[in-house]
Amino acid sequence: MAPRRPEGAGAFPKPVEPPRTMKPDPASLYAALDLGTNSCRMLIAQPKGNQFHVVDSFSKSVQLGLGLEATGRLSRTSMDRTVHALKICRSKIEKRHVSRMRLVATEACRRATNAGEFISTVEREAGLKLEIIAPEEEARLAVISCAPLVSTKTEQLLVVDIGGGSTELVWIDLTRVPRHDRPRAIMRLHAGFRPVDGSPFPAARVVDWISVPLGVATLREQFNDVRNDAARFALMSWFFEENLVNFAPYAKEQAREGFQIIGTSGTVTTVAASHLGLKRYDRNRVDGLRMTSDQIDAVIRDYLTLGPEGRRNDPRIGRDRQTLIMSGSAILQALLRVWPTDRLSVADRGLREGLLYAQMSADGVLDDGPY
């Protein structure tokens, strides 16, 4: 399965938000909804300084892509389950009187032959208009969501978003950006992966990006017939690495000094919670945590030792996630095998936060201050 790449040499995404004619009230509420292969998640937030304050949220496992790998279609059961979740989202949007929003769908809807039927059903039954976004926009939104976690010491940055149906990787060169401006340079990528002509600001250079059509759900489905736990894990990890060969930095040996990976996904946050030994998930301790390749590898080895039953009973993993944590760990291990690092930053943030930052930045309601 060939990784998705931009169409044509040098093709980069268009700006994520169209220009607005009127400046909105900075007290307005914004909504961002991310409908993925596995989950339906939404945030409602208000601009606050150079960040935002979350006033409401929603997250539910809907397994929209269940069976998609085999049939190429979204099942009726999965669609019904998802529409029910989206009705809850609509009620929250109405209750909060949200006027500015982006409601997006990703890999499952990109691939399903009946996605158009599903989008129409959602609009008719849940009253929400979903937008299916391209892989490049998904990658860019993941990048800007992580801007506050970028170290001023970072010269080469790899942002990894492990989703249910796909994994996005973006490699960014920050060597030409003054240290103090590096987090802000990442935020400015909301306008596109190419530098803005005539901009007075030093630009972060996107070396390459890729969307691999393998996420925790799709990778797991491909190896569902392998019964041995350790064998399945090894096969998944090496198969994922094979899909990186067209990514320009794949052949590049990267020194650990000045190199940072930011990982955004349930896989990365679960690994972090396991590393910390948390009995109950705590976002404040997980988001922004830095881990080394060796620490992550130790957690993954522990997962393999636990086996399926042990992982199912581990409160840090849970019954809902235990079937997917090993495919996510296989992706993570493949990345760290290619680019070992002493600085993998854990991001409990992603597409929803990127959507909010993009909307607010385009509207000019965020302060231009340090992160």
Side-chain angles (χ1 to χ4, degrees):
M1 191 180 294
R4 288 196 179 94
R5 303 191 56 77
E7 294 180 7
F12 283 91
K14 294 182 177 67
V16 87
E17 287 288 321
R20 296 195 182 275
T21 54
M22 294 178 59
K23 188 167 183 177
D25 180 357
S28 296
L29 292 180
Y30 290 72
L33 185 145
D34 166 21
L35 177 59
T37 303
N38 240 20
S39 304
C40 174
R41 295 179 292 184
M42 184 181 70
L43 289 177
I44 297 175
Q46 183 176 14
K48 185 177 182 181
N50 63 342
Q51 306 265 336
F52 54 77
H53 170 66
V54 175
V55 298
D56 204 349
S57 64
F58 175 82
S59 180
K60 187 168 183 60
S61 173
V62 293
Q63 296 182 300
L64 178 62
L66 189 64
L68 176 63
E69 195 72 18
T71 67
R73 295 175 59 83
L74 304 174
S75 73
R76 175 54 56 189
T77 302
S78 294
M79 289 194 290
D80 289 346
R81 192 165 49 232
T82 304
V83 168
H84 177 73
L86 290 169
K87 287 179 179 178
I88 299 173
C89 293
R90 183 193 64 186
S91 67
K92 286 178 174 285
I93 289 171
E94 290 177 346
K95 179 183 176 183
R96 299 283 183 176
H97 306 290
V98 180
S99 58
R100 303 187 183 279
M101 67 191 79
R102 281 198 78 191
L103 319 173
V104 306
T106 56
E107 186 69 8
C109 289
R110 286 195 291 258
R111 295 178 60 187
T113 57
N114 60 338
E117 173 195 338
F118 171 67
I119 297 296
S120 298
T121 300
V122 169
E123 187 168 5
R124 183 176 64 253
E125 297 186 13
L128 297 177
K129 192 171 180 61
L130 287 177
E131 171 190 359
I132 303 175
I133 60 172
E136 56 264 34
E137 183 168 359
E138 184 176 359
R140 186 153 39 86
L141 289 166
V143 167
I144 64 175
S145 76
C146 296
L149 301 183
V150 176
S151 168
T152 56
K153 297 178 181 178
T154 296
E155 296 182 348
Q156 302 293 327
L157 174 67
L158 174 62
V159 178
V160 179
D161 181 13
I162 306 172
S166 65
T167 299
E168 280 66 46
L169 289 82
V170 184
W171 192 289
I172 302 167
D173 183 347
L174 291 165
T175 53
R176 299 177 186 175
V177 181
R179 285 191 171 194
H180 70 277
D181 199 44
R182 287 173 184 174
R184 279 194 295 270
I186 298 298
M187 180 62 74
R188 286 194 287 270
L189 290 173
H190 80 85
F193 276 166
R194 284 191 180 280
V196 178
D197 291 338
S199 172
F201 302 110
R205 184 173 72 90
V206 176
V207 176
D208 198 9
W209 72 273
I210 192 171
S211 180
V212 180
L214 292 169
V216 293
T218 47
L219 184 60
R220 177 67 176 80
E221 280 192 38
Q222 291 211 15
F223 291 88
N224 208 31
D225 58 337
V226 181
R227 298 300 176 194
N228 182 276
D229 195 42
R232 186 192 309 116
F233 175 80
L235 287 168
M236 289 190 297
S237 187
W238 285 106
F239 181 67
F240 184 85
E241 185 179 335
E242 288 175 0
N243 282 263
L244 298 177
V245 293
N246 291 326
F247 186 48
Y250 177 72
K252 176 182 177 183
E253 187 173 336
Q254 178 61 47
R256 292 194 181 197
E257 186 66 29
F259 173 55
Q260 181 182 9
I261 298 179
I262 298 180
T264 167
S265 71
T267 294
V268 180
T269 55
T270 301
V271 168
S274 295
H275 169 68
L276 293 171
L278 301 182
K279 301 298 183 187
R280 185 187 297 271
Y281 187 80
D282 184 347
R283 184 186 187 276
N284 292 328
R285 294 187 62 187
V286 169
D287 187 50
L289 176 73
R290 287 187 182 174
M291 300 181 67
T292 68
S293 298
D294 295 337
Q295 289 171 332
I296 293 168
D297 193 51
V299 172
I300 294 174
R301 286 199 308 271
D302 186 47
Y303 287 165
L304 282 167
T305 301
L306 283 172
E309 191 60 32
R311 294 193 296 268
R312 191 177 295 111
N313 294 322
D314 190 317
R316 298 163 299 184
I317 301 171
R319 293 180 177 271
D320 289 343
R321 184 170 290 278
Q322 72 85 19
T323 59
L324 301 174
I325 188 61
M326 294 316 296
S327 51
S329 295
I331 293 171
L332 191 54
Q333 188 184 71
L335 298 172
L336 295 176
R337 188 165 56 239
V338 179
W339 301 290
T341 180
D342 289 328
R343 290 194 301 167
L344 185 143
S345 297
V346 179
D348 187 349
R349 56 187 72 206
L351 190 54
R352 293 173 302 167
E353 288 82 1
L355 286 164
L356 290 172
Y357 278 132
Q359 291 179 87
M360 293 175 185
S361 294
D363 284 354
V365 294
L366 292 178
D367 293 344
D368 187 22
Y371 290 100

